[in-house]
Amino acid sequence: MKITRIETFAVPPRWLFCRVETDDGVVGWGEPVVEGRAEVVRAAVDVLAEYLIGKDPLRIQDHWQVLTKGGFYRGGPVLSSAVAGLDQALWDIAGKTYGAPVHALLGGPVRDRVRVYAWVGGDEPAELTEQITAQVEAGFTAVKMNGAGATSPVATAAETAAVVDRVAAAREVLGPDRDVAVDFHGRFTAASSRRVLAELGPLHPLFVEEPVVPEHGHLLPGLVAATPVPLATGERLYGRTEFLPVLAAGIAVAQPDLSHAGGISEVHRIASLADTYGAQLAPHCPLGPIALAASLQVAFATPNFLIQEQSRGIHYNKDADLLSYLVDTEPFRFVDGHAPRGDAPGLGITIDEAAVRAADRTGHTWRNPVWRHPDGSFAEW
């Protein structure tokens, strides 16, 4: 079996899909994208495709080595994301070829269902109680929310109180038996995070995500030591070597993204690395159906898995949503806040190719917003 064609599709709301075809007629799908830079990743996939055309798709690990290390300049979000989508597609082909779900190829399932959480925003708290109530009524046992919008370099008393008030409102709705995770999104400095985390402890968040930007990962040991709140990070880290220092710093939850951190192959290894530090895996995934399908396959085969992000109804999803490009939506039918394990081969989903090709003709040019402080200086989004 040989790879004969690799195509990419820019589909709303902000996703990039890739399709890998073989001469045996087996097709695999992946989701290589950097949100806001889809066109750049698309070009990277085209370059990497030059190597893959004519190759045996089942030599996944060998291809991963060449795609990530075959160029003198390595790493970074664009290359890692291009490799990630292609890697997902190759695992999809392997599963379809062997007639098995990817989680079986990774060593077999360790659980029957995967806990997932729902997004409820949080930048603006006005509708927070209503949004959380709706997710609880839909069966979810956990939600995630932004801790704040644009935040001063040193958080004011009002900004600190607003974060605590939002989380307290969430806890009031959720009660003691459900969970809230809080995303700081790198919007806080280490000093501000330390101050806010001290106030959040009694509200018992499942974790606080990205308490500082990834460039300030060297400050994580101090934050870990200063708070009982479990800290999480990793959506902007792209391989084992980048996860090693933050795991050594004592984070509780590693959050690699299956569409950024080298795909199924590398995230499976990151999970094993995290396990040696007693850390849990909670893959980042505010993306499309292929990225989620890949994430779930890893989750089913990962002993130290905690919870899975998913994008149904997320505020980014305009013009299309998680289920828009699927022939059968059953794989993403969540029951009591969990995704049941399926045994369909490959990634376990069937992409509506006609819908994808039609959407690509429209495409998208999604960009993340640029925020500024009241004095006109740049603010972290």
Side-chain angles (χ1 to χ4, degrees):
M1 185 164 58
K2 305 296 182 186
I3 297 170
T4 55
R5 182 165 59 158
I6 297 175
E7 301 173 273
T8 53
F9 308 92
V11 299
R14 57 178 190 155
W15 305 330
L16 183 71
F17 295 169
C18 70
R19 178 184 184 275
V20 179
E21 182 178 341
T22 70
D23 58 356
D24 281 4
V26 182
V27 171
W29 288 87
E31 193 168 334
V33 69
V34 173
E35 300 93 299
R37 299 290 185 267
E39 305 94 325
V40 184
V41 180
R42 191 173 206 172
V45 171
D46 288 343
V47 171
L48 296 177
E50 296 173 4
Y51 168 77
L52 287 174
I53 296 298
K55 300 294 194 300
D56 178 357
L58 300 181
R59 298 189 61 178
I60 300 172
Q61 296 302 334
D62 185 64
H63 296 327
W64 193 94
Q65 296 293 319
V66 173
L67 295 177
T68 59
K69 302 176 181 179
F72 185 73
Y73 297 98
R74 305 175 181 181
V78 171
L79 178 60
S80 294
S81 298
V83 172
L86 290 166
D87 181 82
Q88 293 168 15
L90 295 182
W91 279 102
D92 195 23
I93 289 172
K96 291 171 179 175
T97 299
Y98 297 126
V102 168
H103 63 74
L105 305 184
L106 294 175
V110 296
R111 58 181 49 81
D112 298 322
R113 59 181 191 160
V114 164
R115 191 185 186 199
V116 298
Y117 63 80
W119 257 98
V120 292
D123 284 340
E124 299 299 333
E127 299 178 355
L128 191 58
T129 297
E130 180 181 339
Q131 291 173 345
I132 295 175
T133 299
Q135 297 300 346
V136 169
E137 291 175 350
F140 288 97
T141 63
V143 299
K144 189 169 82 175
M145 55 184 280
N146 280 322
T151 304
S152 302
V154 177
T156 65
E159 288 172 330
T160 300
V163 178
V164 177
D165 289 347
R166 287 184 179 110
V167 181
R171 177 56 67 201
E172 180 70 22
V173 178
L174 293 165
D177 296 321
R178 299 182 182 89
D179 286 309
V180 57
V182 186
D183 191 354
F184 280 15
H185 220 252
R187 295 169 182 171
F188 293 79
T189 61
S192 293
S193 278
R194 190 177 293 110
R195 177 173 281 169
V196 177
L197 288 166
E199 302 290 332
L200 289 181
L203 295 170
H204 209 88
L206 180 64
F207 56 77
V208 165
E209 179 176 337
E210 280 202 322
V212 291
V213 291
E215 305 94 284
H216 293 166
H218 58 285
L219 301 176
L220 283 170
L223 289 176
V224 171
T227 179
V229 176
L231 299 185
T233 196
E235 70 185 74
R236 291 186 275 184
L237 303 177
Y238 310 115
R240 286 161 288 163
T241 56
E242 294 183 0
F243 271 92
L244 183 59
V246 301
L247 289 165
I251 65 164
V253 183
Q255 298 176 295
D257 189 305
L258 270 288
S259 282
H260 300 326
I264 292 169
S265 295
E266 184 69 350
V267 171
H268 193 234
R269 292 187 282 258
I270 291 168
S272 295
L273 177 64
D275 198 28
T276 67
Y277 285 89
Q280 303 298 301
L281 186 77
H284 178 257
C285 190
L287 292 170
I290 305 170
L292 178 58
S295 298
L296 292 174
Q297 293 296 328
V298 170
F300 284 122
T302 298
N304 58 318
F305 168 82
L306 177 66
I307 197 166
Q308 178 60 55
E309 182 172 26
Q310 54 84 30
S311 71
R312 187 185 299 179
I314 199 169
H315 48 288
Y316 301 121
N317 290 357
K318 299 176 181 178
D319 303 320
D321 206 347
L322 180 65
L323 308 180
S324 297
Y325 302 108
L326 296 176
V327 171
D328 179 10
T329 61
E330 184 66 16
F332 296 151
R333 182 178 63 87
F334 305 135
V335 180
D336 297 328
H338 291 74
R341 192 182 76 241
D343 293 317
L347 295 181
I349 59 173
T350 302
I351 294 295
D352 185 340
E353 186 172 325
V356 169
R357 291 186 182 277
D360 181 59
R361 289 193 287 270
T362 301
H364 67 84
T365 55
W366 188 87
R367 302 288 185 263
N368 66 250
V370 175
W371 285 358
R372 295 193 178 274
H373 293 298
D375 66 359
S377 61
F378 175 81
E380 288 286 348
W381 171 71

